[in-house]
Amino acid sequence: MTTTSSTRSASRVLRSRRVVTPKGEVAADVVIAGGRITDVAPYGSVTGSPVEDLGELALLPGLVDTHVHINEPGRTAWEGFPSATRAAAAGGVTTLIDMPLNSIPPTTTVNALHAKQDSARGRVYVDVGFWGGAVPGNLNDLEPLYRAGVFGFKSFLSPSGVDEFPHLTREQLDESLAELARLDALAIIHAEAPEVLDAAPQRAGRAYADFLASRPDAAEAVAVTELLDAARETGARVHVLHVSSAEVLPLLAKARADGIRASAETCPHYLTLAAEQVPEGDTAFKCCPPIRSESNRDLLWVGLRDGDFVAVVSDHSPCTVDLKRLEEGDFALAWGGIASLQLGLPAIWTEARRRGHSLADVVGWMATGPARFAGLRRKGLIAPGRDADLFAFDAEAAFVVDPAGLHHRNPVTPYAGRELTGVVRTTWLRGVPVDLDGPPAGELLERDAS
């Protein structure tokens, strides 16, 4: 924290007794000018400027969610830029990066990127960047996409669930990673092994245990092993998306010790939900890879504590209500995805505080870590020079999740009826409060301008 004169002046000040900074939680005045944080000053020291005193409300840097499926254009009935970014702002997320699939066209060419940017421009309530896709047949598109500003490239090692975004074979993975290593571009990978999935028992019906058996831990472990071997051979930077199985953590740790540039993320649903809690036929809980056992969840928390994950992100993957097959309750038929942009923070904070973690820990997992991983140099910290993307958080307030109060387009959630702790009271984007009923003020981000 800086220590300058108490007679300073500024365009605006947010004052709180609980400002979460890189040095921990402190009482401070956060000074804002021109959309940036210009100072973090001793509490009550700034005079001559408008001050908003938050009292005991905590002031946190805006969260950064690098794993969001907005699905527009093409599948706007599943989700759209206005609805997703309203949900993000309501949940304290001020920056997100959109995934290249489930939109039509997928973001696998520069023209498709421009189509997506055109859909988003002037319609987003928070800042939005874009991942590109590395799929069979678009090797020559990777460099132009990277030059056009995508933050990296997503691939699947098993079927994605949509025909227009096919998965890579091992040979195609090697070719893709070699090209991305040449560009020094980040590869982000959905790692489940198709041969393991094909060999697993496939049973339709309402029993969650049957669905879980169809996507065993080995599917992740085998795929991650293959990915790390490819990264070793090519020198590429690789990031494992939405880790649900703790079995992959020692594989990643060994790879990093061997000098492989490998990182990983996990998601709120893997850290807060457990297979034993899933009601029969409640397909709101279906996602791929799946929510696993309570004991596995505990091991993910150990990994989070020990720094095995660089980020906790939503994997917000919504669909229309009918595709979740809620009335039938058939896990084999339901779309696999959990929409949690608005609820990720309270879900994580509820479990984190129970396990003895602090708000500073949560900021590291959900703001600073993902911003650093994605190369968002102005995001993720309350510090001079950073964008004044912030939110006021009532860390003690409890609420019961009502799907009707969610902003994403199709309000289906496995958290329905759950009591969570932590309420976002106000979100600021570049120092201006986000008005969910007003005009959108978010910006579109490119990698080099982040």
Side-chain angles (χ1 to χ4, degrees), residues 282-319:
D282 194 342
T283 53
F285 286 81
K286 180 180 177 180
C287 56
C288 300
I291 295 163
R292 302 191 187 277
S293 67
E294 291 180 358
S295 59
N296 177 82
R297 181 183 63 186
D298 290 341
L299 291 173
L300 293 179
W301 276 98
V302 172
L304 190 59
R305 180 199 67 195
D306 293 347
D308 290 332
F309 296 110
V310 298
V312 175
V313 291
S314 68
D315 188 11
H316 178 78
S317 187
C319 65

Side-chain angles (χ1 to χ4, degrees), residues 84-382:
T85 55
R86 282 193 191 98
V93 176
T94 53
T95 303
L96 60 83
I97 305 184
D98 173 67
M99 283 290 165
L101 76 155
N102 300 342
S103 58
I104 301 174
T107 316
T108 55
T109 67
V110 171
N111 285 341
L113 172 64
H114 290 163
K116 182 162 281 196
Q117 290 170 327
D118 289 344
S119 293
R121 192 169 289 110
R123 302 175 65 233
V124 294
Y125 287 82
V126 301
D127 288 353
V128 175
F130 303 94
W131 295 110
V135 298
N138 83 326
L139 199 63
N140 292 334
D141 293 297
L142 302 183
E143 182 171 1
L145 272 167
Y146 200 53
R147 302 303 176 206
V150 300
F151 283 79
F153 295 89
K154 180 175 185 175
S155 299
F156 279 73
L157 302 187
S158 58
S160 72
V162 291
D163 292 340
E164 65 273 5
F165 202 95
H167 68 286
L168 299 178
T169 65
R170 174 57 195 267
E171 180 180 359
Q172 292 164 339
L173 174 66
D174 289 345
E175 292 173 346
S176 174
L177 291 186
E179 175 66 357
L180 297 184
R182 184 183 72 80
L183 299 171
D184 197 28
L186 182 63
I188 62 172
I189 307 295
H190 181 124
E192 290 181 284
E195 65 272 22
V196 177
L197 298 178
D198 290 345
Q202 305 293 324
R203 298 188 186 92
R206 297 172 58 84
Y208 185 75
D210 288 341
F211 169 64
L212 185 58
S214 75
R215 302 189 90 96
D217 295 79
E220 290 186 74
V222 169
V224 168
T225 298
E226 179 177 288
L227 173 63
L228 295 173
D229 287 344
R232 181 181 292 106
E233 293 168 6
T234 61
R237 291 188 293 148
V238 298
H239 176 80
V240 182
L241 298 167
H242 47 47
V243 169
S244 82
S245 172
E247 289 187 11
V248 309
L249 298 182
L251 303 175
L252 288 161
K254 183 179 185 306
R256 288 191 294 268
D258 291 342
I260 297 172
R261 296 187 294 171
S263 59
E265 67 186 39
T266 192
C267 305
H269 39 280
Y270 301 132
L271 292 165
T272 65
L273 305 175
E276 292 88 344
Q277 303 167 351
V278 178
E280 181 178 279
D282 194 342
T283 53
F285 286 81
K286 180 180 177 180
C287 56
C288 300
I291 295 163
R292 302 191 187 277
S293 67
E294 291 180 358
S295 59
N296 177 82
R297 181 183 63 186
D298 290 341
L299 291 173
L300 293 179
W301 276 98
V302 172
L304 190 59
R305 180 199 67 195
D306 293 347
D308 290 332
F309 296 110
V310 298
V312 175
V313 291
S314 68
D315 188 11
H316 178 78
S317 187
C319 65
T320 54
V321 174
D322 60 302
L323 291 178
K324 289 302 278 186
R325 307 286 186 127
L326 296 170
E327 292 187 5
E328 299 162 71
D330 190 328
F331 283 99
L333 297 177
W335 175 260
I338 288 176
S340 62
L341 258 174
Q342 191 170 337
L343 297 173
L345 172 63
I348 286 293
W349 174 234
T350 300
E351 187 68 14
R353 73 201 298 256
R354 186 179 75 81
R355 293 173 180 264
H357 292 284
S358 67
L359 281 179
D361 292 331
V362 173
V363 164
W365 304 328
M366 302 186 77
T368 311
R372 182 185 299 121
F373 144 71
L376 290 156
R377 297 181 295 275
R378 297 204 307 263
K379 308 294 187 181
L381 284 176
I382 295 180

